[in-house]
Amino acid sequence: MSKAARTYVAVFGGYRCDEATAAAAEEVGRLLAEAGCIVVTGGREGVAAAASRGAQHAGGLTLGILPSRDRSEANDWVTVAVPTGLGETRNALVVMDADAVIAFPGLDGTLSEMAFALLGGAPVVSLGGWELARDGEAESRIVPADSPASAVAAALALSRSS
Amino acid sequence: MSKAARTYVAVFGGYRCDEATAAAAEEVGRLLAEAGCIVVTGGREGVAAAASRGAQHAGGLTLGILPSRDRSEANDWVTVAVPTGLGETRNALVVMDADAVIAFPGLDGTLSEMAFALLGGAPVVSLGGWELARDGEAESRIVPADSPASAVAAALALSRSS
Amino acid sequence: MSKAARTYVAVFGGYRCDEATAAAAEEVGRLLAEAGCIVVTGGREGVAAAASRGAQHAGGLTLGILPSRDRSEANDWVTVAVPTGLGETRNALVVMDADAVIAFPGLDGTLSEMAFALLGGAPVVSLGGWELARDGEAESRIVPADSPASAVAAALALSRSS
Amino acid sequence: MSKAARTYVAVFGGYRCDEATAAAAEEVGRLLAEAGCIVVTGGREGVAAAASRGAQHAGGLTLGILPSRDRSEANDWVTVAVPTGLGETRNALVVMDADAVIAFPGLDGTLSEMAFALLGGAPVVSLGGWELARDGEAESRIVPADSPASAVAAALALSRSS
């Protein structure tokens, strides 16, 4: 399949996550892989590891954009690891030019990834965590989802490559 | 005055802003300069230009971290311009290791700067705009202020260099 | 094959190149793919395109680290494209943590990639172009090669993953 | 003096240097400051520290572009410190849009700074160290100098701001 036909979806969330969140992230990864998407993550633990595991077990290709200079920092389910040496600034690259992103609950790094996704114009689907408002109005560009299946369906429907 | 004695405060907000916001940003710049701080901005228009103008008119030193490779992109009140060629990713550098940050209303770029300030552990003082909550609870690390004077007072009181 | 078993080899050189150089780069890409390596390039024209084409035609996986924010900038033989928005500064990332690099003739960008490869400790195999000396002594860490086959053989023999 | 009237000259070389080199770098810094230039360095030890010391003792303004996220990493003679968190990739920023650069002997990091200076079109004046040739011809854009005074004179004469 040619590069032009591939859809890249970034999945991000906490570096630490509970079992229910990990299961949901793994399911998101699996569904994205089954839809033929390349799953992009920050390449490390928590939500990134679970989503990559789900995608790779379903035969998908996963891309991990790492903070350090060291490829071995990637989790075991990253097909292609990209060391950046940018530290947390690499969060901007995780979502750069993504066709859509799916956000799980997380901390400040997750917030920065939501910000850069919005800045870059990617559709943002949220499975909880950060809620953003500006001047008293909820941010309308963030699409809430209540399950892995609905998150993936929304991401694919809104995807810039579709 | 030695480097170690200087306090760096980042000021950010919209690339476009109304006159009242510009006046407030200019006042913040002036007060920070009078307190001996180096004022760090993204070096371009709107809030960044107003804050730099206020600081430079008060004899302060201003630092502009630019998105492009071209120093001439800086506004006229930037004392030291740093071209980065990083595009919007340079937002991470505007707040990196700041002793405190003051946020004005702005769009996605402003949100990314708030996120990186929180991620880096800098005290964040807000003069309006983005409101953040997580799992239903307002983000408690953001300190609201209702005037330039109270914003600067809070930033200096919470500053990591104080 | 697990990530840990993959070898990443960066191939770089001129943005423009003559037909003989393109043919050699394509051959290098093919041989690397046949050896099971992931071929990393800057993702655009000239040597990068030829090496990616050779690798992809041989069934290999190619990674393109792009200067712009726009994935569509990648050439047609990049399997996984990584937009960075870093401009030419992304040259540092093309060779970061590579197990080995193969340099073709090129201009200043190629020189910067050789420098970062040396800085990062990767074995550097050269098929011509830049010659470096320091204080009157030729740089001994650069391994000259006179054919695609000998370049790939040297890169694999010296590879940090071997 | 307005920003537009300032000339930025980057000075770089080894992280470690002998006393004669340190004395020459200090003299370069002093002469650049006396000419009204802002001296840009990587902000750390060796040549960067010596050049900054010379410039600051002469009343000049020095800018240090740091590899880490931590401003305190700067040497004592940096007036304005810019943490980047980019590691060695920050070498590209040290010379970005410089009006001219002066290279002292150094290792791979110094080579990368020469490469990015050439790539960006800055005049490069060399006080020894790396010698570059391409396809058998010495790189003609590098201007050799044999003393601090002649290096500074050449940098100012060739400066893009002059």
Side-chain angles (χ1 to χ4, degrees), chain A residues 5-162:
Chain A
R6 299 302 292 262
T7 297
Y8 290 70
V9 178
V11 181
F12 53 84
Y15 180 74
R16 304 280 178 235
C17 67
D18 59 26
E19 282 186 30
T21 301
E26 189 162 347
E27 175 77 353
V28 160
R30 182 178 69 78
L31 293 168
L32 289 171
E34 289 175 357
C37 299
I38 291 179
V39 173
V40 187
T41 71
R44 301 198 63 197
E45 305 186 15
V47 165
S52 300
R53 187 168 56 238
Q56 199 176 75
H57 285 177
L61 198 156
T62 64
L63 171 60
I65 311 290
L66 301 168
S68 81
R69 299 178 58 86
D70 180 1
R71 211 177 293 276
S72 69
E73 185 188 37
N75 65 58
D76 288 342
W77 304 281
V78 168
T79 317
V80 179
V82 179
T84 67
L86 302 174
E88 300 292 346
T89 302
R90 76 79 161 78
N91 294 356
L93 273 61
V94 172
V95 299
M96 195 171 278
D97 204 33
D99 295 304
V101 310
I102 298 177
F104 278 84
L107 301 179
D108 302 331
T110 299
L111 178 63
S112 73
E113 284 160 326
M114 293 180 79
F116 276 111
L118 292 169
L119 189 52
V124 178
V125 178
S126 170
L127 274 157
W130 286 99
E131 299 138 35
L132 311 181
R134 196 152 53 84
D135 301 323
E137 296 202 16
E139 173 53 59
S140 62
R141 290 172 295 170
I142 297 175
V143 178
D146 57 10
S147 71
S150 64
V152 170
L156 295 178
L158 298 168
S159 163
R160 297 192 281 195
S161 73
S162 62

Side-chain angles (χ1 to χ4, degrees), chain C residues 19-102:
Chain C
E19 283 187 31
T21 301
E26 190 163 347
E27 175 77 354
V28 160
R30 183 177 69 77
L31 293 168
L32 289 171
E34 289 175 357
C37 299
I38 291 179
V39 173
V40 188
T41 71
R44 301 198 65 198
E45 305 185 14
V47 165
S52 300
R53 187 168 56 240
Q56 200 176 73
H57 285 178
L61 198 156
T62 64
L63 171 61
I65 311 290
L66 301 168
S68 83
R69 298 178 58 85
D70 181 0
R71 211 177 293 277
S72 69
E73 185 188 39
N75 65 58
D76 289 341
W77 304 281
V78 168
T79 316
V80 178
V82 179
T84 66
L86 303 174
E88 300 293 346
T89 302
R90 75 78 161 80
N91 295 356
L93 273 61
V94 172
V95 299
M96 195 171 277
D97 205 32
D99 295 305
V101 310
I102 298 177

